[in-house]
Amino acid sequence: MRVGLLTGGGDVPGLNAAIRAVVKRGVGEHGHHIVGFRNGWKGVAEGDIQPLTRADIRNVLPIGGTLLGTARFHPHAVEGGMDAVMSTIENEHIDALICIGGDGTLHAASKVAEAGVKVVAIPKTIDNDVWATESSIGFDTAVTIATEAIDRIHTTAESHNRVMIVEVMGRTAGWIAATAGIAGGAEIVLAPERPFDIDQVVRFLKHRHRAHASFSIVVVAEGATPAEGTSMDYEMQVGQFGQIVAGGISDRLKHEIEQRTGFDTRVTVLGHIQRGGTPTAADRILGSRFGVAAIDAVTRGEDRVMTAVQDGEVVLVPLAEVAGRVKHVPDSLLDVARALA
Ligand code: F6P
């Protein structure tokens, strides 16, 4: 078989482990040819290929990013995009496509599958918001990085008696904020799932600083917003592919907290540091498990499915069940963050 492979959307640590597993198992065990496409769906549309052999995947496990490159490009949203994709698939004699991506890439995968291409998907996103899977590649590394950053911010917050706002990624789901907030011992966690009331935030900070501490850590997901009808105006700035302009919510919060409390407040926007560098062991393992499951599924002739973790096991779920849905942080996890304030 000739199996196409692409990584789309934002990069995450652990992608190379998945690519390695697809190539190692696909070439070594099944005797397939693995045809990599450069820069996600853009490479498929442009016929930008990179044949992948065992030599290409040597020593890639500890390396972040993706050796195939990636891009935010949705063929179904561009004029002629789908035709270009279909003609590359035909010209390169691709029998099936493995797409590694988050919501945008998986949505495109379901469109390409509808057009008649066999597709198996693998979920990756530091946001951890892909439906039907307990975890996605990249999340564990991002939480580890964010937790370490909060640990470091603690010491300077305490020394200077400051309120420190740490902004983490998470557009529609606050998984990094909730988990790194708990692991790092943040006083306040603000997530998109639970719009906040600035008056409550301020009341809490004033009480804490009066009663038992002179510093506080506020972890805010980039997609967090004030609740409707509360006393803070905020308009989120969003880019072409739904990416949030970093720093928007935390700058606004800093202003509100300083105005209302008089506490010296600083902002740290972790940004793409959360997506960079060496993957954790957990992400390497997850990438490897998903890679093996995906190439085995392709070999069996499975179509329009995504690898997923459910009850700790790797399973296949219908792609149609996943596209367009968001896995939000459950109340129980946000309640733990609040309980430990
Ligand atoms: O979708 C993953 C993500 O890391 C989001 O958390 C973030 O909003 C976005 O990507 C940033 O996108 P870009 O790398 O295009 O700036």
Side-chain angles (χ1 to χ4, degrees):
M1 283 177 93
R2 280 174 68 80
V3 181
L5 177 63
L6 67 90
T7 52
D11 70 333
V12 300
L15 285 172
N16 288 329
I19 295 170
R20 171 178 176 270
V22 168
V23 174
K24 235 182 157 174
R25 177 97 169 157
V27 174
E29 178 71 20
H30 300 304
H32 300 324
H33 292 278
I34 310 295
V35 181
F37 288 103
R38 303 265 327 141
N39 304 321
W41 289 110
K42 189 162 183 281
V44 188
E46 293 172 354
D48 187 359
I49 67 161
Q50 177 178 341
L52 290 170
T53 65
R54 292 175 70 121
D56 299 305
I57 44 114
R58 240 164 243 144
N59 301 328
V60 298
L61 276 175
I63 299 171
T66 160
L67 64 89
L68 280 174
T70 187
R72 292 196 189 279
F73 178 88
H74 301 160
H76 55 282
V78 176
E79 216 190 304
M82 287 299 282
D83 290 343
V85 163
M86 295 311 285
S87 77
T88 300
I89 298 288
E90 205 179 311
N91 295 342
E92 293 299 329
H93 307 288
I94 300 297
D95 298 303
L97 202 48
I98 296 179
C99 312
I100 313 179
D103 51 355
T105 307
L106 300 182
H107 185 59
S110 61
K111 295 280 174 204
V112 171
E114 275 165 27
V117 180
K118 279 196 167 176
V119 169
V120 172
I122 295 177
K124 68 84 224 173
T125 168
I126 65 163
D127 291 357
N128 197 36
D129 57 358
V130 173
W131 186 258
T133 182
E134 281 153 23
S135 30
S136 294
I137 305 170
F139 173 59
D140 185 73
T141 307
V143 174
T144 304
I145 294 169
T147 302
E148 192 196 330
I150 297 167
D151 288 345
R152 288 177 186 278
I153 281 166
H154 249 113
T155 58
T156 173
E158 197 162 5
S159 303
H160 282 270
N161 306 305
R162 281 175 172 155
V163 175
M164 299 295 271
I165 299 171
V166 184
E167 183 179 303
V168 296
M169 284 185 171
R171 288 183 269 187
T172 46
W175 287 97
I176 300 177
T179 51
I182 292 169
E187 277 67 47
I188 297 180
V189 169
L190 303 177
E193 285 84 354
R194 219 175 248 187
F196 62 89
D197 178 350
I198 189 68
D199 290 326
Q200 264 178 19
V201 170
V202 163
R203 252 196 320 273
F204 174 87
L205 290 174
K206 281 185 176 168
H207 169 76
R208 174 177 152 86
H209 287 225
R210 203 169 40 235
H212 51 87
S214 60
F215 74 97
S216 293
I217 309 270
V218 179
V219 173
V220 58
E222 60 185 355
T225 51
E228 238 174 80
T230 54
S231 66
M232 174 176 155
D233 301 326
Y234 171 66
E235 206 168 308
M236 190 189 288
Q237 303 284 311
V238 177
Q240 191 195 353
F241 292 98
Q243 335 83 287
I244 293 170
V245 177
I249 186 63
S250 42
D251 280 345
R252 194 78 185 81
L253 266 174
K254 169 183 154 60
H255 174 78
E256 295 292 332
I257 290 171
E258 278 188 333
Q259 287 274 308
R260 295 169 189 238
T261 64
F263 298 153
D264 199 15
T265 304
R266 293 289 187 277
V267 169
T268 303
V269 179
L270 292 186
H272 292 81
I273 286 174
Q274 292 159 99
R275 292 210 325 235
T278 309
T280 57
D283 273 328
R284 299 181 203 191
I285 294 164
L286 186 61
S288 302
R289 292 175 81 193
F290 278 167
V292 168
I295 193 70
D296 285 355
V298 161
T299 308
R300 289 194 305 272
E302 305 259 10
D303 184 20
R304 300 183 196 199
V305 289
M306 183 189 81
T307 62
V309 178
Q310 291 185 352
D311 296 327
E313 293 295 326
V314 173
V315 296
L316 297 174
V317 297
L319 198 49
E321 239 178 55
V322 177
R325 294 172 91 173
V326 174
K327 184 187 70 177
H328 284 293
V329 180
D331 275 345
S332 55
L333 195 60
L334 292 171
D335 287 344
V336 172
R338 177 177 278 184
L340 297 175

